[in-house]
PDB file of all heavy atoms in Angstrom:
ATOM      1  N   SER A  17     -21.830  46.360  76.036  1.00 41.00           N
ATOM      2  CA  SER A  17     -22.773  47.271  75.392  1.00 41.00           C
ATOM      3  C   SER A  17     -22.186  48.631  75.141  1.00 41.00           C
ATOM      4  O   SER A  17     -22.829  49.492  74.570  1.00 41.00           O
ATOM      5  CB  SER A  17     -24.032  47.402  76.254  1.00 41.00           C
ATOM      6  OG  SER A  17     -23.715  48.069  77.457  1.00 41.00           O
ATOM      7  N   GLY A  18     -20.982  48.853  75.618  1.00 41.00           N
ATOM      8  CA  GLY A  18     -20.366  50.152  75.410  1.00 41.00           C
ATOM      9  C   GLY A  18     -20.838  51.189  76.370  1.00 41.00           C
ATOM     10  O   GLY A  18     -20.599  52.375  76.172  1.00 41.00           O
ATOM     11  N   ALA A  19     -21.541  50.828  77.454  1.00 41.00           N
ATOM     12  CA  ALA A  19     -22.053  51.796  78.418  1.00 41.00           C
ATOM     13  C   ALA A  19     -21.222  51.719  79.662  1.00 41.00           C
ATOM     14  O   ALA A  19     -21.630  51.216  80.681  1.00 41.00           O
ATOM     15  CB  ALA A  19     -23.519  51.524  78.725  1.00 41.00           C
ATOM     16  N   GLY A  20     -20.021  52.192  79.634  1.00 42.00           N
ATOM     17  CA  GLY A  20     -19.150  52.143  80.794  1.00 42.00           C
ATOM     18  C   GLY A  20     -19.490  53.190  81.795  1.00 42.00           C
ATOM     19  O   GLY A  20     -20.380  54.005  81.605  1.00 42.00           O
ATOM     20  N   GLU A  21     -18.733  53.191  82.917  1.00 43.00           N
ATOM     21  CA  GLU A  21     -19.002  54.156  83.974  1.00 43.00           C
ATOM     22  C   GLU A  21     -18.830  55.588  83.490  1.00 43.00           C
ATOM     23  O   GLU A  21     -19.464  56.490  83.976  1.00 43.00           O
ATOM     24  CB  GLU A  21     -18.054  53.888  85.150  1.00 43.00           C
ATOM     25  CG  GLU A  21     -18.295  52.587  85.886  1.00 43.00           C
ATOM     26  CD  GLU A  21     -19.608  52.580  86.609  1.00 43.00           C
ATOM     27  OE1 GLU A  21     -20.056  53.668  87.023  1.00 43.00           O
ATOM     28  OE2 GLU A  21     -20.191  51.505  86.763  1.00 43.00           O
ATOM     29  N   GLY A  22     -17.977  55.763  82.518  1.00 44.00           N
ATOM     30  CA  GLY A  22     -17.744  57.135  82.057  1.00 44.00           C
ATOM     31  C   GLY A  22     -18.608  57.522  80.886  1.00 44.00           C
ATOM     32  O   GLY A  22     -18.397  58.555  80.258  1.00 44.00           O
ATOM     33  N   GLY A  23     -19.611  56.677  80.544  1.00 46.00           N
ATOM     34  CA  GLY A  23     -20.457  56.959  79.391  1.00 46.00           C
ATOM     35  C   GLY A  23     -21.241  58.240  79.564  1.00 46.00           C
ATOM     36  O   GLY A  23     -21.535  58.680  80.653  1.00 46.00           O
ATOM     37  N   SER A  24     -21.625  58.827  78.459  1.00 47.00           N
ATOM     38  CA  SER A  24     -22.369  60.090  78.482  1.00 47.00           C
ATOM     39  C   SER A  24     -23.853  59.818  78.496  1.00 47.00           C
ATOM     40  O   SER A  24     -24.352  58.958  77.768  1.00 47.00           O
ATOM     41  CB  SER A  24     -22.005  60.933  77.252  1.00 47.00           C
ATOM     42  OG  SER A  24     -22.875  62.029  77.140  1.00 47.00           O
ATOM     43  N   ALA A  25     -24.575  60.561  79.341  1.00 44.00           N
ATOM     44  CA  ALA A  25     -26.036  60.378  79.412  1.00 44.00           C
ATOM     45  C   ALA A  25     -26.704  60.780  78.127  1.00 44.00           C
ATOM     46  O   ALA A  25     -27.797  60.322  77.812  1.00 44.00           O
ATOM     47  CB  ALA A  25     -26.592  61.195  80.574  1.00 44.00           C
ATOM     48  N   ALA A  26     -26.087  61.648  77.364  1.00 47.00           N
ATOM     49  CA  ALA A  26     -26.711  62.147  76.142  1.00 47.00           C
ATOM     50  C   ALA A  26     -26.423  61.264  74.943  1.00 47.00           C
ATOM     51  O   ALA A  26     -26.985  61.473  73.878  1.00 47.00           O
ATOM     52  CB  ALA A  26     -26.232  63.576  75.872  1.00 47.00           C
ATOM     53  N   SER A  27     -25.459  60.293  75.072  1.00 54.00           N
ATOM     54  CA  SER A  27     -25.122  59.457  73.923  1.00 54.00           C
ATOM     55  C   SER A  27     -26.271  58.510  73.617  1.00 54.00           C
ATOM     56  O   SER A  27     -27.054  58.156  74.473  1.00 54.00           O
ATOM     57  CB  SER A  27     -23.841  58.676  74.207  1.00 54.00           C
ATOM     58  OG  SER A  27     -24.011  57.844  75.341  1.00 54.00           O
ATOM     59  N   ALA A  28     -26.341  58.065  72.369  1.00 58.00           N
ATOM     60  CA  ALA A  28     -27.468  57.243  71.936  1.00 58.00           C
ATOM     61  C   ALA A  28     -27.386  55.857  72.554  1.00 58.00           C
ATOM     62  O   ALA A  28     -26.346  55.203  72.467  1.00 58.00           O
ATOM     63  CB  ALA A  28     -27.470  57.139  70.417  1.00 58.00           C
ATOM     64  N   PRO A  29     -28.451  55.360  73.201  1.00 66.00           N
ATOM     65  CA  PRO A  29     -28.421  54.019  73.788  1.00 66.00           C
ATOM     66  C   PRO A  29     -28.528  52.960  72.704  1.00 66.00           C
ATOM     67  O   PRO A  29     -28.998  53.230  71.596  1.00 66.00           O
ATOM     68  CB  PRO A  29     -29.656  54.011  74.683  1.00 66.00           C
ATOM     69  CG  PRO A  29     -30.580  54.983  74.037  1.00 66.00           C
ATOM     70  CD  PRO A  29     -29.707  56.058  73.453  1.00 66.00           C
ATOM     71  N   LYS A  30     -28.129  51.746  73.049  1.00 66.00           N
ATOM     72  CA  LYS A  30     -28.235  50.664  72.080  1.00 66.00           C
ATOM     73  C   LYS A  30     -29.698  50.255  71.943  1.00 66.00           C
ATOM     74  O   LYS A  30     -30.530  50.546  72.807  1.00 66.00           O
ATOM     75  CB  LYS A  30     -27.386  49.482  72.521  1.00 66.00           C
ATOM     76  CG  LYS A  30     -27.963  48.712  73.709  1.00 66.00           C
ATOM     77  CD  LYS A  30     -27.165  47.454  73.983  1.00 66.00           C
ATOM     78  CE  LYS A  30     -27.823  46.615  75.077  1.00 66.00           C
ATOM     79  NZ  LYS A  30     -27.076  45.361  75.338  1.00 66.00           N
ATOM     80  N   PRO A  31     -30.047  49.596  70.837  1.00 73.00           N
ATOM     81  CA  PRO A  31     -31.444  49.182  70.637  1.00 73.00           C
ATOM     82  C   PRO A  31     -31.919  48.271  71.768  1.00 73.00           C
ATOM     83  O   PRO A  31     -31.129  47.571  72.391  1.00 73.00           O
ATOM     84  CB  PRO A  31     -31.384  48.427  69.295  1.00 73.00           C
ATOM     85  CG  PRO A  31     -30.172  48.948  68.610  1.00 73.00           C
ATOM     86  CD  PRO A  31     -29.188  49.257  69.697  1.00 73.00           C
ATOM     87  N   LEU A  32     -33.231  48.287  72.023  1.00 76.00           N
ATOM     88  CA  LEU A  32     -33.810  47.430  73.045  1.00 76.00           C
ATOM     89  C   LEU A  32     -33.708  45.977  72.617  1.00 76.00           C
ATOM     90  O   LEU A  32     -33.625  45.664  71.431  1.00 76.00           O
ATOM     91  CB  LEU A  32     -35.283  47.803  73.280  1.00 76.00           C
ATOM     92  CG  LEU A  32     -35.583  49.261  73.626  1.00 76.00           C
ATOM     93  CD1 LEU A  32     -37.082  49.445  73.824  1.00 76.00           C
ATOM     94  CD2 LEU A  32     -34.824  49.698  74.861  1.00 76.00           C
ATOM     95  N   SER A  33     -33.737  45.083  73.591  1.00 73.00           N
ATOM     96  CA  SER A  33     -33.661  43.660  73.277  1.00 73.00           C
ATOM     97  C   SER A  33     -34.922  43.213  72.553  1.00 73.00           C
ATOM     98  O   SER A  33     -35.996  43.802  72.701  1.00 73.00           O
ATOM     99  CB  SER A  33     -33.493  42.848  74.564  1.00 73.00           C
ATOM    100  OG  SER A  33     -34.675  42.907  75.340  1.00 73.00           O
ATOM    101  N   GLN A  34     -34.764  42.151  71.755  1.00 71.00           N
ATOM    102  CA  GLN A  34     -35.884  41.614  70.981  1.00 71.00           C
ATOM    103  C   GLN A  34     -37.058  41.243  71.895  1.00 71.00           C
ATOM    104  O   GLN A  34     -38.211  41.587  71.636  1.00 71.00           O
ATOM    105  CB  GLN A  34     -35.413  40.376  70.212  1.00 71.00           C
ATOM    106  CG  GLN A  34     -36.540  39.554  69.577  1.00 71.00           C
ATOM    107  CD  GLN A  34     -36.914  40.060  68.209  1.00 71.00           C
ATOM    108  OE1 GLN A  34     -36.146  40.789  67.605  1.00 71.00           O
ATOM    109  NE2 GLN A  34     -38.083  39.686  67.741  1.00 71.00           N
ATOM    110  N   LYS A  35     -36.767  40.543  73.001  1.00 76.00           N
ATOM    111  CA  LYS A  35     -37.831  40.095  73.903  1.00 76.00           C
ATOM    112  C   LYS A  35     -38.538  41.270  74.547  1.00 76.00           C
ATOM    113  O   LYS A  35     -39.771  41.307  74.637  1.00 76.00           O
ATOM    114  CB  LYS A  35     -37.250  39.182  74.979  1.00 76.00           C
ATOM    115  CG  LYS A  35     -38.302  38.610  75.932  1.00 76.00           C
ATOM    116  CD  LYS A  35     -37.678  37.680  76.950  1.00 76.00           C
ATOM    117  CE  LYS A  35     -38.741  37.124  77.902  1.00 76.00           C
ATOM    118  NZ  LYS A  35     -38.157  36.243  78.939  1.00 76.00           N
ATOM    119  N   LEU A  36     -37.777  42.281  74.991  1.00 81.00           N
ATOM    120  CA  LEU A  36     -38.399  43.438  75.628  1.00 81.00           C
ATOM    121  C   LEU A  36     -39.267  44.198  74.647  1.00 81.00           C
ATOM    122  O   LEU A  36     -40.378  44.628  74.979  1.00 81.00           O
ATOM    123  CB  LEU A  36     -37.314  44.362  76.203  1.00 81.00           C
ATOM    124  CG  LEU A  36     -37.819  45.676  76.826  1.00 81.00           C
ATOM    125  CD1 LEU A  36     -38.805  45.388  77.954  1.00 81.00           C
ATOM    126  CD2 LEU A  36     -36.656  46.507  77.334  1.00 81.00           C
ATOM    127  N   VAL A  37     -38.794  44.352  73.421  1.00 78.00           N
ATOM    128  CA  VAL A  37     -39.567  45.071  72.410  1.00 78.00           C
ATOM    129  C   VAL A  37     -40.900  44.369  72.166  1.00 78.00           C
ATOM    130  O   VAL A  37     -41.954  45.004  72.090  1.00 78.00           O
ATOM    131  CB  VAL A  37     -38.762  45.184  71.103  1.00 78.00           C
ATOM    132  CG1 VAL A  37     -39.666  45.576  69.944  1.00 78.00           C
ATOM    133  CG2 VAL A  37     -37.665  46.227  71.260  1.00 78.00           C
ATOM    134  N   GLU A  38     -40.857  43.036  72.065  1.00 80.00           N
ATOM    135  CA  GLU A  38     -42.092  42.301  71.812  1.00 80.00           C
ATOM    136  C   GLU A  38     -43.052  42.411  72.996  1.00 80.00           C
ATOM    137  O   GLU A  38     -44.270  42.547  72.811  1.00 80.00           O
ATOM    138  CB  GLU A  38     -41.770  40.840  71.518  1.00 80.00           C
ATOM    139  CG  GLU A  38     -41.084  40.640  70.180  1.00 80.00           C
ATOM    140  CD  GLU A  38     -40.787  39.178  69.879  1.00 80.00           C
ATOM    141  OE1 GLU A  38     -40.933  38.348  70.803  1.00 80.00           O
ATOM    142  OE2 GLU A  38     -40.417  38.889  68.744  1.00 80.00           O
ATOM    143  N   GLU A  39     -42.517  42.384  74.222  1.00 83.00           N
ATOM    144  CA  GLU A  39     -43.380  42.511  75.395  1.00 83.00           C
ATOM    145  C   GLU A  39     -43.992  43.901  75.477  1.00 83.00           C
ATOM    146  O   GLU A  39     -45.180  44.057  75.798  1.00 83.00           O
ATOM    147  CB  GLU A  39     -42.594  42.206  76.659  1.00 83.00           C
ATOM    148  CG  GLU A  39     -42.248  40.743  76.827  1.00 83.00           C
ATOM    149  CD  GLU A  39     -41.653  40.426  78.187  1.00 83.00           C
ATOM    150  OE1 GLU A  39     -41.674  41.310  79.072  1.00 83.00           O
ATOM    151  OE2 GLU A  39     -41.188  39.310  78.366  1.00 83.00           O
ATOM    152  N   LEU A  40     -43.191  44.927  75.200  1.00 85.00           N
ATOM    153  CA  LEU A  40     -43.724  46.293  75.227  1.00 85.00           C
ATOM    154  C   LEU A  40     -44.793  46.467  74.152  1.00 85.00           C
ATOM    155  O   LEU A  40     -45.817  47.130  74.379  1.00 85.00           O
ATOM    156  CB  LEU A  40     -42.596  47.307  75.022  1.00 85.00           C
ATOM    157  CG  LEU A  40     -41.529  47.380  76.121  1.00 85.00           C
ATOM    158  CD1 LEU A  40     -40.468  48.401  75.757  1.00 85.00           C
ATOM    159  CD2 LEU A  40     -42.146  47.716  77.470  1.00 85.00           C
ATOM    160  N   ALA A  41     -44.565  45.866  72.975  1.00 83.00           N
ATOM    161  CA  ALA A  41     -45.541  45.975  71.893  1.00 83.00           C
ATOM    162  C   ALA A  41     -46.862  45.324  72.280  1.00 83.00           C
ATOM    163  O   ALA A  41     -47.944  45.849  72.001  1.00 83.00           O
ATOM    164  CB  ALA A  41     -44.985  45.330  70.620  1.00 83.00           C
ATOM    165  N   VAL A  42     -46.780  44.165  72.964  1.00 83.00           N
ATOM    166  CA  VAL A  42     -47.999  43.470  73.389  1.00 83.00           C
ATOM    167  C   VAL A  42     -48.744  44.293  74.434  1.00 83.00           C
ATOM    168  O   VAL A  42     -49.977  44.434  74.390  1.00 83.00           O
ATOM    169  CB  VAL A  42     -47.650  42.076  73.945  1.00 83.00           C
ATOM    170  CG1 VAL A  42     -48.852  41.464  74.644  1.00 83.00           C
ATOM    171  CG2 VAL A  42     -47.181  41.165  72.823  1.00 83.00           C
ATOM    172  N   GLN A  43     -48.014  44.862  75.393  1.00 86.00           N
ATOM    173  CA  GLN A  43     -48.660  45.657  76.443  1.00 86.00           C
ATOM    174  C   GLN A  43     -49.266  46.933  75.859  1.00 86.00           C
ATOM    175  O   GLN A  43     -50.335  47.383  76.284  1.00 86.00           O
ATOM    176  CB  GLN A  43     -47.645  45.980  77.538  1.00 86.00           C
ATOM    177  CG  GLN A  43     -47.176  44.728  78.277  1.00 86.00           C
ATOM    178  CD  GLN A  43     -46.079  45.000  79.272  1.00 86.00           C
ATOM    179  OE1 GLN A  43     -46.332  45.465  80.376  1.00 86.00           O
ATOM    180  NE2 GLN A  43     -44.838  44.732  78.876  1.00 86.00           N
ATOM    181  N   ARG A  44     -48.584  47.515  74.880  1.00 82.00           N
ATOM    182  CA  ARG A  44     -49.142  48.690  74.205  1.00 82.00           C
ATOM    183  C   ARG A  44     -50.423  48.320  73.470  1.00 82.00           C
ATOM    184  O   ARG A  44     -51.405  49.055  73.457  1.00 82.00           O
ATOM    185  CB  ARG A  44     -48.094  49.232  73.227  1.00 82.00           C
ATOM    186  CG  ARG A  44     -48.536  50.425  72.390  1.00 82.00           C
ATOM    187  CD  ARG A  44     -47.351  50.865  71.527  1.00 82.00           C
ATOM    188  NE  ARG A  44     -47.691  51.985  70.674  1.00 82.00           N
ATOM    189  CZ  ARG A  44     -48.183  51.875  69.448  1.00 82.00           C
ATOM    190  NH1 ARG A  44     -48.420  50.664  68.948  1.00 82.00           N
ATOM    191  NH2 ARG A  44     -48.443  52.941  68.726  1.00 82.00           N
ATOM    192  N   ARG A  45     -50.400  47.112  72.828  1.00 83.00           N
ATOM    193  CA  ARG A  45     -51.602  46.624  72.168  1.00 83.00           C
ATOM    194  C   ARG A  45     -52.754  46.463  73.154  1.00 83.00           C
ATOM    195  O   ARG A  45     -53.911  46.795  72.861  1.00 83.00           O
ATOM    196  CB  ARG A  45     -51.284  45.280  71.501  1.00 83.00           C
ATOM    197  CG  ARG A  45     -52.386  44.677  70.614  1.00 83.00           C
ATOM    198  CD  ARG A  45     -53.465  43.912  71.365  1.00 83.00           C
ATOM    199  NE  ARG A  45     -52.947  42.893  72.240  1.00 83.00           N
ATOM    200  CZ  ARG A  45     -52.728  41.637  71.870  1.00 83.00           C
ATOM    201  NH1 ARG A  45     -52.963  41.243  70.644  1.00 83.00           N
ATOM    202  NH2 ARG A  45     -52.276  40.765  72.767  1.00 83.00           N
TER     203      ARG A  45
END
């Protein structure tokens, strides 16, 4: 994912997984 130990906290994270996004959307609903 490109998030190594030396990664920067301010750098942009990768997109959320498809399954997690759908679960969050359902819970928000």
Side-chain angles (χ1 to χ4, degrees):
S17 68
E21 292 293 330
S24 170
S27 60
K30 73 173 186 179
L32 305 180
S33 69
Q34 169 87 18
K35 183 178 180 182
L36 176 58
V37 164
E38 290 181 349
E39 288 189 10
L40 295 179
V42 168
Q43 294 174 80
R44 177 177 179 270
R45 187 278 307 270

